[in-house]
Amino acid sequence: MMIEAWSMGPGTLEVPLSLFAKNRERLAEKLQNGQVVVLQGGDDISHYDTDIQYVFRQEAYFTWVCAVREPGCYFALDVKTKKAYLFVPRLPEEYEVWMGKLLTCSEFKKIYGIEEVHYVDELQAVLKSLNPDTLLTLRGPNTDSGLTAKEAVFEGIDEFKVDNEILFPVIAELRVVKTPQEIEVMRYVCKVSSDAHKQVMLYARPGLMEYQCESVFLDHCYRVGGCRHVSYTCICGSGNNGATLHYGHAAAPNAKMIHDGDMCLFDMGGNYAGYAADITCSFPANGKFTDDQKLIYEAVLAARDAVVREAKPGVLWSDMHLTANRAMLEHLKKGNLLKGDVEMMIKNGVNGILQPHGLGHLLGLDVHDVGGYLPHCPPRLAGPLGRLRTARGLQAGMILTIEPGCYFINRPKLAVPSYCRLSNSLRTNGAFTGAGGQHLRTPTSIGHLSYVPRPFPRRVELLSLTLVSLRISSFLI
């Protein structure tokens, strides 16, 4: 009897295997009879020259078609018959001593709902029996990392006609627009991550270390939500660290003590069934904004709200970025931090100084999901807009993050236009240098997927249990 769904246990979401069967069906509909798709899954990776391995995470395209969690596998899809084939490693008997029961091919078939399961050493023979005109392998650029998708390679592949250009733009585009089932999985992981952020805020206070707040997030996501992984390295910046966009790396491992008066910028997202959340919360460590912090927070909140109001199918993401920039600059101008014409500020790049990143990004099986700059999409723009991870028009079913930010980064050599009235002096006297950054992120799709409370702009004095998110993470179109 086939298993119909997968979950991490009681209280966690049951993910229907039909989700992945639907993805395979969508893919086959875009291809031609005689073509057979061949994908290679991820492999175990050792810690350098040791016999200790990193916790395995499956390659995202492989997850999208079949949800197989084990390393060392291959997958094939016969476009004509729409039949799926899984190929698993033939492991030695002593595997059971160290790693647990060896699953048979029939057991893999039941677990993943794949029509046929064979061993990897049978891949060539099975593919030959399908008599394909062309094998389609995956090769294409990830425009966020600059790396290339891993192309399937196996013994005997040179006996087939292989095309490595057709598949990539098709499958990447399919990943951009989520199915209703995919959206439900992402809604779940965003809810788990939102609740974890709330727990962090209840816990956070001056005198704690940043990594202690990170540990609360990790605990809730895994213990309560069944998220064994997070989707990226947790960023738990306080004070000046909040202005470091990707703080939390090995050289800056969330290791500062949180002080009274610090703003906390916590950027963390769980991962469930391969699908990512990405949520950022900004709040004062002592529960109360200063006047300066209030001004910056409200400016970023205004930027987020402007995008939420105007985002809809057909609107260009680059236009939404500028919408957010204008709203933030207008608010800072009203607060007498900036002076002059907002359009001139944008023309001269002030928006790129205060927000040195794009408005947001596609979200899915990768936190910076694929499809931003496919061949049929608008190309990358010049200037600050070149930092956008996509410039394409919004479509129904897309999930993107809306994450405006305002950062005060101590860069003495940075030329600042004259109409930034206080910018240079503020960096000198420290009034804003210690403010770090404020950022709100919410996943959305013209419906918010994050569930973190944000204070009303006029009510920014927080109790310790009120959560603020200045990167609005995940928004569903």
Side-chain angles (χ1 to χ4, degrees), residues 73 119 176 201 215 253 255 340 386 396 399 412 416 447 451:
C73 298
Y119 291 110
V176 169
M201 188 167 220
S215 73
I399 295 180
V416 180
Y451 302 85

Side-chain angles (χ1 to χ4, degrees), residues 208-460:
L208 295 176
M209 301 296 287
E210 294 165 335
Y211 67 78
Q212 292 178 289
C213 296
E214 175 187 9
S215 73
V216 172
F217 182 87
L218 297 173
D219 169 71
H220 184 90
C221 284
Y222 198 2
R223 178 175 53 82
V224 178
C227 300
R228 189 175 193 189
H229 304 291
V230 287
S231 295
Y232 52 95
T233 303
C234 291
I235 299 169
C236 292
S238 62
N240 283 330
N241 293 338
T244 302
L245 301 187
H246 288 168
Y247 180 72
H249 54 83
N254 298 326
K256 171 186 167 295
M257 180 174 286
I258 300 170
H259 298 295
D260 190 33
D262 278 352
M263 283 293 296
C264 295
L265 189 156
F266 291 168
D267 178 352
M268 301 177 282
N271 189 287
Y272 189 80
Y275 286 88
D278 183 358
I279 299 173
T280 304
C281 299
S282 297
F283 58 90
N286 63 11
K288 184 175 181 179
F289 286 107
T290 65
D291 289 341
D292 287 342
Q293 291 168 347
K294 172 184 174 180
L295 171 63
I296 305 305
Y297 180 89
E298 289 185 338
V300 180
L301 187 60
R304 188 211 67 175
D305 290 347
V307 176
V308 171
R309 284 194 303 270
E310 297 190 24
K312 59 184 177 181
V315 172
L316 292 177
W317 192 237
S318 50
D319 289 343
M320 289 295 91
H321 178 92
L322 292 174
T323 293
N325 287 169
R326 290 187 181 98
M328 185 174 76
L329 295 173
E330 286 284 3
H331 195 91
L332 295 177
K333 179 181 173 181
K334 289 178 183 177
N336 295 316
L337 181 62
L338 301 175
K339 66 176 183 179
D341 179 69
V342 166
E343 292 305 318
M344 283 298 295
M345 295 180 197
I346 291 174
K347 182 179 179 180
N348 287 276
V350 176
N351 52 331
I353 293 170
L354 293 177
Q355 183 184 310
H357 58 75
L359 173 63
H361 50 81
L362 295 163
L363 184 68
L365 285 166
D366 291 312
V367 66
H368 298 150
D369 213 17
V370 297
Y373 289 103
L374 292 172
H376 68 281
C377 298
R380 195 179 292 273
L381 301 169
L385 290 175
R387 298 166 184 160
L388 285 168
R389 296 183 186 272
T390 186
R392 60 190 293 169
L394 302 182
Q395 297 172 241
M398 282 181 172
I399 295 180
L400 301 100
T401 65
I402 304 176
E403 44 181 304
C406 186
Y407 301 84
F408 295 86
I409 304 171
N410 191 15
R411 295 178 289 183
K413 296 181 181 179
L414 186 67
V416 180
S418 59
Y419 45 75
C420 293
R421 182 172 64 87
L422 296 178
S423 188
N424 281 327
S425 62
L426 286 175
R427 295 178 196 279
T428 301
N429 68 25
F432 276 81
T433 300
Q438 294 196 44
H439 189 116
L440 294 174
R441 176 173 354 192
T442 300
T444 185
S445 165
I446 305 297
H448 293 180
L449 298 185
S450 65
Y451 302 85
V452 287
R454 298 167 177 38
F456 295 107
R458 303 300 175 195
R459 297 178 57 202
V460 291

Side-chain angles (χ1 to χ4, degrees), residues 95-111:
Y95 176 96
E96 288 194 326
V97 176
W98 303 99
M99 306 297 284
K101 183 180 183 300
L102 281 171
L103 298 177
T104 65
C105 289
S106 61
E107 287 172 318
F108 275 109
K109 181 177 178 179
K110 293 176 182 177
I111 291 171

Side-chain angles (χ1 to χ4, degrees), residues 48-84:
Y48 306 104
D49 62 345
T50 75
D51 61 350
I52 304 301
Q53 296 167 328
Y54 290 97
V55 177
F56 178 71
R57 295 178 69 164
Q58 187 58 271
E59 194 274 335
Y61 287 102
F62 205 80
T63 297
W64 188 84
V65 294
C66 63
V68 171
R69 297 178 292 278
E70 287 80 3
C73 298
Y74 287 77
F75 170 86
L77 177 66
D78 186 342
V79 173
K80 182 179 180 178
T81 63
K82 295 184 172 58
K83 189 174 182 179

